[in-house]
Amino acid sequence: MMIAILGAGESGVGAALLAKAKGLSVFVSDMGTIKPAYKEQLQKENIPFEEGTHTFEQILTADEIIKSPGIPDKAEIIKQAKAKNIPVISEIEFGARYSKAKFICITGTNGKTTTTLLTYHLLKTAGFNVELAGNIGESLAEKVIEDTAEYYIVELSSFQLDTMFGFKAHIAMLLNITPDHLDRYDYNIGNYAQSKLRITQNMAPTDFFIYNQEDALIREHLAKVNTQATLVPFALQPSGEVKATYTNSNIVTEVTGKPESIDVSASPLIGKHNQYNTLAAVTAALLAGAEAFRIEEGLATFKNAEHRLQPVGEANGVTFINDSKATNVEAVWYALEGIKQPIIWIAGGTDKGNDYEPLKPLAKEKVKALLCLGKDNTKLLREFEGVVPVIQETQSVDEVVEQAKALAQPGDVVLLSPACASFDLFQNYEHRGRSFAEAVQKWALNQNTMQ
């Protein structure tokens, strides 16, 4: 059997290594430049590859094609493959074929990574044999070469789900659905929602689908899906259908057949969105068999991923938070909603057609100053004039931290939560977040007093 792999990043190289380990013929093709570390892995295993081009004649002789999630169906190589009836699948679909483990899978427009990491941490600290995989940046295919885990905790994007067909999750989570990536879905939110709900495919009554009952789009489109999974809705407000909810600082569930109460007061996660994320992760951990007291211990020791409401320092009563991953309005809304102190808000970058209206009530209530960090801040300046009392702008991360330092008073929070993509001044949101953290260390934390 001949496998062609399109894209030589983490998932593509992982798939190539698995294919080679299973005795399959494999060829890797990347239209870009392959990173040296990945190239070295391919060379070490004598796996043939090309970069800077796709040789259609060779690729289209494959029995199956594994494609990077970033390659759209409208790409010419994919169109020709489908015209020849060559199956095109994801690395997750391929890797799962060779695993005996159970899969706990997480998708949603926002909150996937936090929920994935939290679910992993809760089960790991409870003594389960678990590993991370998927959209979080870990290749499932490479991990199943050894396949030593009892559970894989897998973050899934809609792009990955689109090329998954035989895959089955044991526990699946859908956190929310809001408009995103609509250019890949004919600008139709229904198409995007159905893509997310592919996470339920092939599930049996002994499997569990955990979903946000308070998300109207999930409710609407779930009704159109014929899943056999046991439904486990969660919500912040209790109702007859809800299986997991909050009572004060406790999560209350009956998902294991008996009432359970989990104290979440020690969790470092803040904001309404993280209450949803925590509900989903705690419910999954219970369904996997974790004991309540172990879950409580895990919640207290969890540290979220970088660039997601990540505290990066405190000086003289002023807290600096890196939320660079907040590249859309909804993510920023959750950040502003979750922080109770007065806020010096840093925003800006490459605008994605943002509608800032939902942020204005929170900004008016909580934001003392808006510092615009971007090459073109015109829209932010226009939208928040008269909403926020102080607005300044810059194209320098060092300068924006100095501006924040000058404006902040003890008890304030300086929040980088951009609502925009990062590509005007930075390589990506990680680069933006690291640059902010470094500037905080340089210009704020190493100074004795706030100006």
Side-chain angles (χ1 to χ4, degrees), residues 345-347 367-372 380 384 388 390-393:
W345 175 29
I346 302 170
V367 175
K368 296 173 58 175
L370 170 60
L371 307 182
C372 304
L380 279 169
F384 289 94
V388 176
V390 176
I391 302 179
Q392 299 176 6
E393 60 176 328

Side-chain angles (χ1 to χ4, degrees), residues 300-312:
T301 57
F302 177 66
K303 293 183 179 179
N304 203 358
E306 291 184 314
H307 318 298
R308 293 168 178 84
L309 287 172
Q310 175 196 12
V312 291

Side-chain angles (χ1 to χ4, degrees), residues 29-215:
S29 177
D30 196 311
M31 279 295 291
T33 301
I34 302 175
K35 291 182 179 179
Y38 292 136
K39 192 181 298 186
E40 183 178 335
Q41 285 182 286
L42 295 172
Q43 291 169 335
K44 182 179 178 181
E45 295 298 326
N46 295 314
I47 295 172
F49 65 88
E50 64 180 357
E51 57 184 331
T53 188
H54 285 323
T55 302
F56 281 41
E57 295 80 4
Q58 184 166 0
I59 293 166
L60 295 175
T61 62
D63 297 297
E64 194 166 52
I65 292 173
I66 301 168
K67 80 173 182 71
S68 163
I71 300 173
D73 285 349
K74 64 184 179 182
E76 186 60 30
I77 186 66
I78 302 301
K79 290 194 292 186
Q80 291 198 27
K82 290 185 175 182
K84 292 175 66 69
N85 294 316
I86 302 171
V88 179
I89 65 170
S90 74
E91 172 252 347
I92 302 293
E93 174 86 356
F94 180 62
R97 295 174 183 171
Y98 297 95
S99 178
K100 298 176 183 177
K102 292 181 178 180
F103 296 97
I104 299 176
C105 301
I106 300 94
T107 196
T109 307
N110 292 299
K112 294 187 295 296
T113 298
T114 295
T115 307
T116 300
L117 290 173
L118 180 56
T119 304
Y120 169 80
H121 180 76
L122 295 179
L123 290 177
K124 186 75 171 178
T125 55
F128 286 70
N129 178 9
V130 293
E131 291 194 34
L132 285 168
N135 194 55
I136 201 162
E138 304 264 0
S139 169
L140 175 67
E142 186 170 358
K143 290 177 184 291
V144 304
I145 295 173
E146 299 295 335
D147 199 35
T148 57
E150 178 187 6
Y151 285 98
Y152 290 105
I153 316 300
V154 187
E155 178 184 331
L156 293 174
S157 69
S158 58
F159 299 162
Q160 289 168 313
L161 287 162
D162 287 337
T163 43
M164 293 166 60
F165 305 97
F167 179 92
K168 181 179 84 72
H170 173 52
I171 299 173
M173 294 177 243
L174 178 53
L175 304 172
N176 47 61
I177 300 174
T178 59
D180 202 10
H181 305 299
L182 293 188
D183 56 322
R184 288 276 289 258
Y185 296 98
D186 298 325
Y187 297 93
N188 184 320
I189 188 67
N191 294 343
Y192 176 61
Q194 290 301 311
S195 176
K196 287 294 189 186
L197 282 158
R198 286 176 65 86
I199 199 169
T200 65
Q201 64 187 353
N202 305 314
M203 296 179 78
T206 52
D207 302 315
F208 302 95
F209 178 49
I210 301 168
Y211 66 95
N212 185 346
Q213 173 68 16
E214 292 174 340
D215 189 297

